[in-house]
Each structure stands twice: as C-alpha cells, then as structure tokens.
Amino acid sequence: MRKIERDNTGLMRPGQNLVVAGYAGYAGTIAIVRQKREELLQWFTKGYLDRIMENEDGTLSGNLERWKALGATECEPAGEGGILSALWNLSGAYMTGIEFSLRQIPIKQETIEVCERYDLNPYRLYSDGCLLFVTDNGGEMVLALEREGIHAAVIGRVTEGIGRIIRHGESSGYLDRPAEDEIHKVL
C-alpha cells in the first residue's frame, strides 16, 4: 500500500466504523442533469428531472471539527472520483485496511437511473456534499446525523492490515485504485 499524502488531523484505527453521510454520486447526477437535460428528456419526464434539481444539496462540509461532537474521529469528503475514491484515500492516508458493503452506501434511485443511461459507475461519480466518517460507534453517529436531518449509514469498518475489501452481496473483492471520475465520460 502506498501512503496517501494528506493532513491526518483525526484518528483512524482498526475496530472503528465507517459511516457515509449524504448520497454518493448525487452532485454528479445534478451536474449531468443540468448539462444533458434535453437529452435526458428522451427517457425521463420534465417533472422527474425538476425534482432532481430541487433536491440539490451540497451543505455537508468536510470540516472535522464540526463533526466531532457527533462522534467523528476522522472525515474525508467524497468529491472527485466519488465515494470509492474517498475510501481509498482515507485508508491509504492511515495505512490501514477497510471492509465495507457496497449495498450499504447511501445512493438515490435517481443517481442509479441517470448512471444507467450513460453506463456510469455511481460509486465513482462526483460526490461533493457526501462525507465519509470514521467513528467509534457508527450506530450512534448515524442517529446523531439523522437528528440533524442528514441521511447516513454505517457501511463497514476499519480493519487490521492493508486490505481494502469490498463486499457486494455474497461476493467480495478488493477495491481498485481510483480512476478518472465517471462524470468525465459524459461532460
């Protein structure tokens, strides 16, 4: 594992939980709808696309100090490269393993549907406003975030070693090195 250069201002150690707040790929979905609206009207109604734009939500910032009161010990914004890039970068910065479930990552149906139209991986799509947290008690942090009106989910944990294990249903594999953001295939 190659160390990722980053200012590690928090704490990440085996046994802690990984929590995602916000929605993976949603900022990319909004950008695609904004730029490809006329084309998307072939498949989606105007009202459906309008609802996507109304839900624009980039309010979550990656300032760890803000989130410590809710239980975060570290925070990584998921922007360019999506949530999978954030997972790769955070584990590389602390030189520790992670294990997570792809199905647990919060993602909106609208993102899945737009990504299907362009054959994009929604987990590698621009995700500004989505945050990856490390915490000692993921369940408590999710409850605290939801009390503030922020959708969140526990997606996995920090592990010993350097493996970045991704679970998808009954199968598992290793997280690939980040690639170019999926949004560049469309915009």
Side-chain angles (χ1 to χ4, degrees):
M1 176 183 282
R2 193 180 96 237
K3 179 143 176 76
I4 303 292
E5 295 303 320
R6 154 190 201 281
D7 289 333
N8 293 339
T9 58
L11 172 70
M12 182 174 177
R13 66 177 183 276
Q16 289 186 296
N17 296 135
L18 299 171
V19 171
V20 172
Y23 294 94
Y26 202 63
T29 303
I30 290 168
I32 291 169
V33 169
R34 188 176 290 125
Q35 295 293 317
K36 299 286 188 175
R37 184 177 183 84
E38 292 305 312
E39 185 176 306
L40 288 167
L41 284 169
Q42 297 174 54
W43 300 291
F44 304 111
T45 67
K46 178 185 178 307
Y48 185 78
L49 297 178
D50 289 345
R51 277 194 309 279
I52 291 172
M53 298 307 293
E54 287 170 7
N55 289 325
E56 188 169 353
D57 182 291
T59 59
L60 302 181
S61 74
N63 180 352
L64 178 60
E65 291 305 313
R66 174 180 177 205
W67 306 108
K68 281 184 176 179
L70 300 182
T73 63
E74 187 54 279
C75 175
E76 178 76 10
E80 186 78 17
I83 190 65
L84 295 183
S85 182
L87 285 155
W88 178 276
N89 291 339
L90 193 58
S91 67
Y94 281 89
M95 299 295 288
T96 188
I98 56 172
E99 181 177 359
F100 65 96
S101 171
L102 199 61
R103 290 184 178 171
Q104 297 303 314
I105 296 172
I107 191 163
K108 289 191 174 195
Q109 185 63 31
E110 297 93 311
T111 297
I112 293 168
E113 291 179 17
V114 169
C115 284
E116 283 177 355
R117 290 291 160 205
Y118 294 105
D119 195 28
L120 306 176
N121 180 338
Y123 303 102
R124 293 196 182 279
L125 182 62
Y126 182 64
S127 296
D128 191 38
C130 178
L131 299 175
L132 171 63
F133 292 111
V134 179
T135 182
D136 291 325
N137 188 327
E140 287 294 321
M141 183 164 192
V142 166
L143 290 173
L145 287 163
E146 289 182 350
R147 280 192 293 273
E148 295 205 11
I150 300 167
H151 181 75
V154 177
I155 66 159
R157 62 190 180 89
V158 181
T159 62
E160 297 281 347
I162 59 171
R164 295 172 173 129
I165 300 169
I166 182 171
R167 302 226 183 270
H168 186 61
E170 297 297 315
S171 64
S172 65
Y174 291 95
L175 181 61
D176 292 332
R177 182 179 302 279
E180 182 179 49
D181 194 298
E182 293 285 283
I183 202 165
H184 298 298
K185 293 179 180 178
V186 179
L187 304 181

